Amino acid sequence: MQRRQSSKTPKQPLQGHHKNQTDLSAWRKGGRIDPEKSVQNHPTPNSQKNDRQQDSLEQALCYFEKVQDRVSLKKNSVLQKHLATVESIALQRGLPPEGFDVLLNVALSGKFADTVNTCLLKSLVPASVIPESSIISSVSWLCVGKCSSNIQLLFLKWLITVFDFIDHKEQIHALYGFFFSFLQDEKMCPYVCHLLYLLTRKENVRPFRIRRLLDLQAKMGMQSHLQALLSLYKLFCPELVTITLPGKMKTYFKNSEGPWKAAINAIRQRSQGNSPLSQPLFLGTAQPQSRKRKWNTQLFIPASSTNRNNLEQDRGKNHVDLYSTNKSFPVEQLQTFPQLLENIHHLEFPSQMGSVLTNPLLLHYMNCIKDESVYLRLNYWMGQTLQEECTWCVADNQYEDEFKEFLETVYKTECFLQEGFSSCEEFLYKSLPLWDGFCCRSQILRLVSWIPLGSFSEMKSHLYDPLAQLFFTSSLYFKCSVLESLKELLQNWLNWHVIHLDSASDSQVCSLNTTLSGLVNVVAELIQFVGWISTVALRLENNPTFLLYFILDFYETVCDMYLRYSLPLLIMPPAGVFYPALLSMDSVSLNQLCYIMYRYRTNLVAAKENEQSKKKILQFKFSSQTYQEYNQYIIAMVGCLWTSTAFQKDIHPQGLRMDEELLKKTAVQEFKTSFNIVYHPAMMGYAVLFLQQAWPDDTTFNFSLIKGKKWNWYLEYLYAQGLKGLKLFIESSINRVSQASHSKA
């Protein structure tokens, strides 16, 4: 995936940060001009404006850096001027890395009133990256109690929001215990939990911390932010966290309420005046360009993601020596599959979990090592991203193309892992009732096909009902797209069942009965839902062949569930689907139906034999209603296509049975043979071509000539035209009287 070049980010990655650096030229030029060549450029009105802004910002930073005593905002024109300068430039272009150390120290030192400190913190909008040293020095101010609790809370919100902009995080990880001590503050607890969730590693999980969280939970009740941290602790050390936690993924943390995300988004919009430059995706040291566009900023692995300093210098060393001296393997150095195999138990995943989506090696790791902490972190990041960036859930969101690209990446990841993300499921359940069925249509329906198994009541209210409303009121193409998506959903569920059934040991077979029963119920509800919407859709659209193809394609999977997927369930299509296919004007639909009925017969015969032999350990008997409905359909098909007795012998309640007097009133002379394989509207074209070849001189098209041996010849002609389904159905379900003569012919 290509990511967008931001005008606020240098084209070359930053190699490091010097605390005393005061040259703001890179920021002044928006990161697009080489400093060595800048002196050769002629001044332009835009560059002159940038120079003035740089001078104003340098003066403001110098002023705030030299402030020693407490200063009041009232009647202080100098302070007001510099504060306005910082706010204006921050909201317009973002602040360069050099400005954060000064402004954070001033805002948290208590030298100004909370009004000024709040303005300064809200102005901390990054243009590129935030130096880790600035964060460390600002955290030290929390120890001396110079700033109020409201400022501390605002600082935590800012730190969470810009977490992925921090260039390194190793020293911040060392402050884990310090941040943990703030959990005792009830007001700050949700945000401290959020920050700890982003920082937690396995070595941070300790019994005393677990006891502290459990005490807080007993005091405050079941809070989502405490559950989030406990869930992460339990994934790292399940032997230490013995309590039962909700297994269902939920939104643990609320979005930060600060203005920084909106400001970053506004800066990005203004920076896209020129056409964005595409960049190749690579494993390198590039820094995030914008927090708001997460799929353009985090779908790669920045060097800082593994929280190590001086990576550029380390790359010059021997890799073997480097890796042998570290407990964990830096993922930005992971280049080949052999490297993955050698270091698979020492990988440290990046803080920007979105980068995992585009790295096949890390996806292989997720497939091989079922590390639940990785899934938990990835689901959390993905849930937050989907919620914040959904095109039809967020007002004035004009980035539909980027959102499509992100959804496409998520779908490809699910296909690679062969399982859906719980965060995507939650996103779909929340957003489908608001969806117009048009925006990101193919991406949303693809994600629907990977929804994990769930209870029917939940799926009915959150998936089936919203889909049904859109299905009945949308175009024919949308109906076919929904049916295709639901077919893939069914296949993914069945494949999941086969994988788990094959991997189960003998001791687990008995326990699978309960799981299998739940799967059978959920799959049955899905099939019945598709049968219902298909019946209604055929009536609404007047039985189009295009729609019928997708419906029958779904039932090609249903009819083979017992033998192909080892699922003891068979459900016949409803009469509203069966009879339109039987009487279709198109031979493709009729041939599909014949193949489906042949596979139903094969599966039902195998099920009956297994019931009688009792060799199967997992024993589920099909209901007699399934066999009865199949027999009714077979009588109708044979009566139509072969014996010409459908109007007399069809016993289905919604079948073709009619009184002979009523049929005579139709004025159709040969009404009995109207739907056999010669006169059927879908087959008549083949009959005409057969007559032309058998009797080229006869121009009367006398269909009555096709009988006896000619009937057998006609069958062979049909088989030669590729009607395999018709061939299998006739050979399996019809007892041929003239078998000997047919063999002779």
Side-chain angles (χ1 to χ4, degrees), residues 672-687:
K672 290 184 179 181
T673 60
S674 297
F675 292 102
N676 66 19
I677 58 174
V678 176
Y679 292 92
H680 194 290
M683 309 300 295
M684 192 172 290
Y686 291 106

Side-chain angles (χ1 to χ4, degrees), residues 33-42:
I33 305 301
D34 190 338
E36 297 179 359
K37 299 179 181 179
S38 60
V39 295
Q40 303 173 5
N41 295 335
H42 298 286

Side-chain angles (χ1 to χ4, degrees), residues 389-650:
E389 307 298 341
C390 178
T391 307
W392 57 92
C393 294
V394 179
D396 300 327
N397 193 331
Q398 302 176 358
Y399 299 99
E400 181 179 340
D401 291 338
E402 293 185 17
F403 190 56
K404 283 182 179 179
E405 186 179 355
F406 175 62
L407 295 180
E408 193 71 31
T409 301
V410 173
Y411 169 73
K412 291 178 180 178
T413 304
E414 291 181 327
C415 292
F416 187 97
L417 298 175
Q418 287 296 292
E419 62 178 312
F421 293 111
S422 57
S423 54
C424 288
E425 177 190 12
E426 183 183 6
F427 162 71
L428 290 172
Y429 287 170
K430 288 182 177 180
S431 61
L432 280 179
L434 306 174
W435 186 41
D436 59 3
F438 179 77
C439 180
C440 307
R441 174 188 294 174
S442 61
Q443 290 77 21
I444 291 297
L445 292 180
R446 285 179 178 180
L447 291 180
V448 166
S449 67
W450 281 109
I451 290 180
L453 279 166
S455 64
F456 170 71
S457 59
E458 185 177 35
M459 298 194 73
K460 182 181 185 303
S461 59
H462 293 103
L463 176 64
Y464 296 155
D465 289 349
L467 269 185
Q469 293 180 7
L470 289 170
F471 185 85
F472 296 138
T473 57
S474 298
S475 65
L476 175 64
Y477 177 77
F478 180 82
K479 292 180 174 67
C480 296
S481 300
V482 170
L483 291 170
E484 178 70 15
S485 175
L486 295 177
K487 183 200 75 172
E488 293 177 358
L489 175 64
L490 174 62
Q491 289 176 338
N492 289 332
W493 285 355
L494 295 174
N495 289 329
W496 175 89
H497 164 66
V498 171
I499 293 172
H500 284 71
L501 191 63
D502 291 342
S503 61
S505 62
D506 294 338
S507 60
Q508 295 174 312
V509 170
C510 294
S511 64
L512 278 176
N513 277 313
T514 304
T515 306
L516 188 60
S517 176
L519 175 64
V520 167
N521 292 335
V522 175
V523 169
E525 296 292 350
L526 172 60
I527 296 172
Q528 290 171 0
F529 170 73
V530 173
W532 170 60
I533 63 174
S534 299
T535 301
V536 177
L538 287 171
R539 294 176 182 174
L540 290 174
E541 302 289 346
N542 197 21
N543 301 327
T545 301
F546 187 62
L547 177 62
L548 193 57
Y549 169 82
F550 285 91
I551 296 172
L552 295 178
D553 192 41
F554 177 85
Y555 280 98
E556 280 193 30
T557 301
V558 174
C559 69
D560 234 355
M561 291 190 300
Y562 182 74
L563 289 178
R564 186 174 181 181
Y565 299 99
S566 302
L567 187 73
L569 176 68
L570 282 178
I571 298 178
M572 303 301 299
V577 170
F578 173 79
Y579 283 102
L582 178 60
L583 305 178
S584 173
M585 303 284 288
D586 183 73
S587 60
V588 174
S589 299
L590 183 62
N591 186 62
Q592 265 187 296
L593 180 64
C594 290
Y595 176 78
I596 289 171
M597 296 306 295
Y598 160 73
R599 293 307 302 170
Y600 269 120
R601 181 184 187 279
T602 305
N603 280 258
L604 288 170
V605 169
K608 180 63 72 174
E609 291 175 352
N610 288 333
E611 288 178 11
Q612 294 173 352
S613 64
K614 298 182 179 179
K615 292 182 179 179
K616 294 288 183 181
I617 298 176
L618 300 175
Q619 192 61 48
F620 284 79
K621 293 184 177 180
F622 293 159
S623 66
S624 58
Q625 181 182 356
T626 303
Y627 291 101
Q628 180 182 356
E629 197 167 8
Y630 169 79
N631 289 332
Q632 290 174 347
Y633 286 162
I634 283 296
I635 291 173
M637 286 190 69
V638 174
C640 272
L641 301 177
W642 197 260
T643 62
S644 301
T645 58
F647 296 118
Q648 292 79 32
K649 294 186 177 181
D650 191 348

